Amino acid sequence: MQNQNKGFYYVLDVDDDSRLRNVFWADARSRAAYEFFGDVITFDTTYLTNRYDMPFAPFVGVNHHDHSILLGAGLISNEDMETFVWLFNAWLGCMNNKAPGAIVTDQARAMKNAIEIVFPKTTRYRFVCGTL
């Protein structure tokens, strides 16, 4: 994919047996959009319906037309703190270490802890009850 689109970014996390654990990706358009619309993002992992039982983890922003835009996404094997730390670090690497100003997400304790570890001073964390 990177041969066709130089701005495409992905990171794979594999276990000791070289089996896929987690993956993060963002295309060039998403990365460019983040430069303009990355001040507040939403992050939600409630999409659990795929055949591998890996939660889909989209990073979503809002553009100047008030439309939701996908800024990156992941498939994760777990919803524990270590996995969220891996995913948020992959996000930061993709976005040139530019943290969002705020993250709106659900009230998962593991996610909150990971946000505090990866984005210690630059990001505000807000949660909503229920599904985003």
Side-chain angles (χ1 to χ4, degrees):
M1 182 60 107
Q2 286 180 318
N3 291 335
Q4 297 172 359
N5 182 344
K6 298 292 184 204
F8 185 80
Y9 182 96
Y10 70 95
V11 181
L12 303 175
D13 177 33
V14 295
D15 65 16
D16 294 335
D17 295 322
S18 297
R19 291 180 296 202
L20 183 66
R21 249 192 322 223
N22 306 300
V23 60
F24 168 80
W25 70 93
D27 65 7
R29 180 173 284 178
S30 295
R31 296 174 76 194
Y34 181 69
E35 289 295 316
F36 296 100
F37 310 115
D39 49 342
V40 177
I41 63 169
T42 62
F43 179 77
D44 187 18
T45 58
T46 58
Y47 306 104
L48 297 174
T49 56
N50 65 58
R51 70 186 216 185
Y52 301 107
D53 292 325
M54 295 180 78
F56 178 62
F59 293 84
V60 178
V62 176
N63 69 15
H64 57 292
H65 298 292
D66 291 332
H67 294 146
S68 296
I69 51 173
L70 184 64
L71 300 173
L75 288 172
I76 55 176
S77 59
N78 260 308
E79 292 185 89
D80 59 14
M81 186 184 70
E82 292 79 17
T83 302
F84 287 128
V85 166
W86 178 89
L87 185 62
F88 295 148
N89 279 319
W91 164 262
L92 269 182
C94 176
M95 300 305 174
N96 299 314
N97 291 316
K98 179 184 174 191
I103 297 178
V104 179
T105 189
D106 66 18
Q107 54 187 341
R109 169 68 76 201
M111 199 180 300
K112 178 183 183 299
N113 291 341
I115 288 169
E116 290 172 353
I117 290 169
V118 178
F119 311 113
K121 296 179 182 169
T122 58
T123 300
R124 288 185 230 149
Y125 169 77
R126 298 290 182 255
F127 69 89
V128 294
C129 296
T131 304
L132 292 175

